[in-house]
């Protein structure tokens, strides 16, 4: 396997740094025509203007002539639920006919439906399905993806989901790195009906220490929403996770304004996600506490909900990330092109902000900004080569794939 690569004659466009870019900084991208990148053993060892020494064929290095095309950091999809059993296409049809996401959940469908299917699935089945999605996403330029548990809601199935992610990560042939997130608090399991606090106790006292000991997840998430878990329960679980060294993430203010963004600021979460109904106070709390506001426009699109206020968030000094939310219920799509288009057209992000949101800020939302998310010496050799010399195709080829090559750790995958 060759992880030594030189890409020459590229238009390198990248944010810079090892932490999330906030507010106006999100527009400040390096834009270098005639650039060269060198990757040695999977890690970037040179990125800058072309140098004669870099142009010469070097032993052991594959050479890719970009012919002036745009080279971006590999995309980071920092919010997905990509390991799950079964599918729920009927819910999409019900929603087309006017039912809401929450009413389907309240009558026993929704997440719990996928929980039954995931409990029954074998690890091999789950892995095979997740790899199918990874393949599709990798062709659209994704080189790092988050994966959440949360379709087990019991000890063994939560572990099964996390172990599937680990086994994909251990493959030298893997197309992406998966950042695993423990989402045991995705819904109340049927066995705990009416006993949400006891379920949170179970997660804190049994599951978190186990997940930590087995090193199966880096971050912990909760669905903080009216009718699911309260702000107090979310605070309790996430603080316990932080005490064990896990990062905190929150499904916040997705359906109603519920105080999730405010809580994210209070506990200095890594990210708060969705935020369709985040309040002004919540937006301020995220900006002041360096919480990455992770926006998922595909979910708003498929649920026919209003888009999160991305423009306001950036203007208020937030660091915004974009992700797909791929999952079997609210949004069975991992479309990076459509995410770019919706973010720019309906959340009013500039193209530069959207690029930062899908690269460095996505990495920061996972705690990975030191190792990926930008084209800089010392970071992983993860890139996207577009098929033209302008980044405008990310939105101009609306909903279509403008990626010519996806490169992971110096290996050209597609
Ligand atoms: O991010 N809202 C909670 N969780 C997912 C949906 C999961 C599902 O419906 O299966 C989301 O939208
Ligand atoms: Fe989600």
């Amino acid at each position: 396997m060759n992880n030594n690569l030189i890409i020459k004659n590229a238009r390198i466009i990248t944010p810079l740094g090892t932490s999330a870019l906030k507010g106006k900084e999100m527009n400040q991208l390096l834009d270098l025509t005639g650039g060269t990148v060198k990757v040695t053993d999977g890690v970037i060892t040179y990125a800058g203007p072309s140098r004669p020494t870099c142009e010469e064929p070097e032993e052991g290095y594959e050479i890719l002539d970009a012919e002036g095309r745009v080279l971006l950091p590999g995309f980071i999809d920092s919010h997905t639920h990509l390991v799950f059993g079964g599918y729920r296409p009927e819910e999409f049809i019900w929603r087309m006919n006017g039912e809401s996401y929450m009413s389907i959940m309240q009558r026993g469908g929704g997440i719990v439906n996928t929980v039954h299917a995931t409990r029954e699935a074998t690890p091999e089945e789950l892995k095979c399905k997740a790899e199918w999605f990874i393949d599709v996403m990798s062709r659209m330029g994704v080189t790092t993806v988050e994966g959440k548990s949360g379709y087990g809601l019991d000890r063994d199935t939560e572990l099964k989901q996390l172990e599937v992610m680990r086994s994909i990560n251990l493959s030298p042939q893997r197309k992406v790195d998966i950042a695993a997130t423990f989402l045991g608090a995705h819904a109340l399991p049927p066995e705990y009906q009416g006993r949400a606090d006891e379920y949170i106790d179970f997660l804190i006292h049994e599951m978190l220490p186990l997940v930590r000991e087995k090193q199966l997840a880096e971050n912990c998430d909760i669905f903080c929403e009216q009718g699911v878990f309260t702000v107090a329960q979310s605070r309790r679980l996430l603080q316990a996770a932080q005490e064990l060294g896990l990062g905190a993430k929150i499904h916040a203010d997705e359906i109603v304004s519920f105080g999730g963004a405010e809580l994210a600021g209070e506990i200095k979460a890594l990210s708060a996600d969705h935020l369709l109904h985040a309040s002004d106070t919540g937006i301020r709390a995220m900006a002041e506490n360096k919480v990455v506001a992770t926006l998922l426009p595909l979910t708003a699109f498929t649920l026919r909900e209003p888009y999160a206020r991305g423009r306001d968030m950036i203007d208020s000094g937030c660091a915004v990330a974009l992700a797909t939310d791929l999952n079997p219920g609210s949004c069975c799509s991992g479309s990076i092109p459509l995410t770019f288009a919706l973010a720019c057209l309906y959340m009013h992000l500039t193209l530069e902000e959207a690029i930062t949101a899908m690269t460095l800020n996505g990495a920061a939302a996972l705690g990975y900004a030191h190792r990926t998310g930008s084209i800089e010496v010392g970071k992983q050799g993860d890139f996207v080569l577009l098929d033209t010399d302008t980044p405008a195709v990310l939105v101009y080829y609306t909903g279509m794939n403008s990626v010519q090559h996806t490169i992971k750790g110096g290996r050209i995958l597609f």
Side-chain angles (χ1 to χ4, degrees):
M1 194 63 52
N2 189 347
N3 290 17
N4 295 335
L5 175 70
I6 291 171
I7 306 172
K8 60 178 192 178
N9 197 16
R11 179 175 172 192
I12 299 174
I13 298 183
T14 181
L16 296 172
T18 52
S19 58
L21 300 185
K22 301 175 59 169
K24 289 189 174 52
E25 296 167 359
M26 287 184 67
N27 267 308
Q28 292 163 11
L29 302 184
L30 171 80
D31 186 345
L32 177 70
T33 303
T36 290
V37 166
K38 185 173 180 183
V39 180
T40 308
D41 288 333
V43 175
I44 300 172
T45 47
Y46 178 79
S50 291
R51 292 186 313 198
T53 49
C54 278
E55 301 287 310
E56 287 160 18
E58 253 188 82
E59 211 179 321
Y61 282 80
E62 190 169 345
I63 309 278
L64 177 63
D65 186 347
E67 296 175 338
R69 295 185 181 93
V70 171
L71 188 73
L72 301 167
F75 297 141
I76 316 287
D77 189 349
S78 63
H79 182 137
T80 90
H81 308 245
L82 90 171
V83 179
F84 59 86
Y87 287 97
R88 288 152 42 206
E90 65 287 352
E91 288 183 16
F92 197 98
I93 309 294
W94 295 337
R95 291 201 306 271
M96 279 166 55
N97 293 333
E99 258 201 270
S100 72
Y101 177 77
M102 284 314 270
S103 69
I104 294 168
M105 185 167 174
Q106 274 147 12
R107 67 178 169 80
I111 294 169
V112 169
N113 194 330
T114 300
V115 168
H116 294 306
T118 308
R119 287 180 181 179
E120 274 164 31
T122 64
E124 294 69 34
E125 285 164 350
L126 294 176
K127 184 174 176 190
C128 182
K129 221 162 127 181
E131 284 180 329
W132 184 86
F133 282 111
I134 287 171
D135 184 76
V136 171
M137 294 166 84
S138 168
R139 288 170 196 269
M140 293 186 283
V142 173
T143 51
T144 300
V145 69
E146 189 230 25
K148 299 178 193 290
S149 69
Y151 290 123
L153 312 183
D154 65 17
R155 181 187 182 280
D156 290 352
T157 317
E158 287 293 312
L159 294 181
K160 180 169 72 180
Q161 278 190 279
L162 295 171
E163 274 157 7
V164 164
M165 294 184 236
R166 163 167 294 172
S167 85
I168 296 173
N169 264 345
L170 288 175
S171 161
Q173 310 300 326
R174 72 185 177 281
K175 298 188 173 93
V176 296
D177 291 312
I178 305 181
T181 297
F182 176 59
L183 178 57
H186 195 191
L188 195 59
E191 303 80 20
Y192 277 87
Q193 250 354 289
R195 297 188 292 135
D197 279 315
E198 277 176 56
Y199 183 61
I200 296 289
D201 287 340
F202 159 73
L203 295 178
I204 291 175
H205 299 300
E206 292 189 41
M207 290 306 298
L208 280 179
L210 201 57
V211 166
R212 186 75 199 117
E213 182 198 311
K214 293 176 177 277
Q215 304 210 347
L216 280 170
E218 291 154 87
N219 302 309
C220 179
D221 193 351
I222 184 164
F223 189 10
C224 175
E225 187 66 50
Q226 193 168 66
V228 191
F229 293 106
T230 64
V231 169
Q233 287 160 347
S234 305
R235 182 184 291 108
R236 206 151 67 80
L237 176 73
L238 294 176
Q239 285 183 334
Q242 286 175 320
E243 274 165 29
L244 290 178
L246 292 150
K249 299 171 83 69
I250 314 184
H251 279 69
D253 304 316
E254 177 180 0
I255 313 289
V256 297
S257 185
F258 198 59
E262 288 86 338
L263 174 65
E266 178 197 321
I267 65 169
K268 300 196 190 303
L270 267 182
S271 74
D273 302 37
H274 283 289
L275 301 169
L276 273 54
H277 302 275
S279 69
D280 290 343
T281 323
I283 292 174
R284 263 198 311 278
M286 292 190 294
E288 281 164 12
N289 292 288
K290 299 197 176 133
V291 177
V292 179
T294 301
L295 309 185
L296 314 167
L298 291 174
T299 311
F301 177 63
T302 53
L303 294 183
R304 297 203 277 210
E305 293 285 342
Y307 293 94
R309 294 188 286 147
R311 180 76 266 136
D312 289 348
M313 292 179 194
I314 295 175
D315 291 344
S316 305
C318 284
V320 163
L322 287 167
T324 65
D325 196 25
L326 171 73
N327 74 73
S330 63
C331 176
C332 201
S333 172
S335 176
I336 299 297
L338 194 53
T339 301
F340 269 111
L342 297 176
C344 292
L345 290 172
Y346 297 109
M347 293 178 170
H348 303 279
L349 269 63
T350 65
L351 185 58
E352 290 78 9
E353 288 165 347
I355 291 171
T356 300
M358 193 63 97
T359 57
L360 185 59
N361 284 6
L366 299 172
Y368 280 10
H370 58 290
R371 60 147 130 150
T372 187
S374 63
I375 302 179
E376 291 175 271
V377 170
K379 291 210 180 180
Q380 290 170 190
D382 298 350
F383 312 98
V384 170
L385 188 68
L386 299 184
D387 77 347
T388 71
D389 61 0
T390 168
V393 290
L394 288 169
V395 284
Y396 175 60
Y397 288 181
T398 315
M400 296 202 301
N401 195 7
S402 57
V403 172
Q404 185 181 57
H405 291 300
T406 304
I407 298 151
K408 177 72 193 160
R411 280 189 303 134
I412 303 172
L413 299 178
F414 299 107

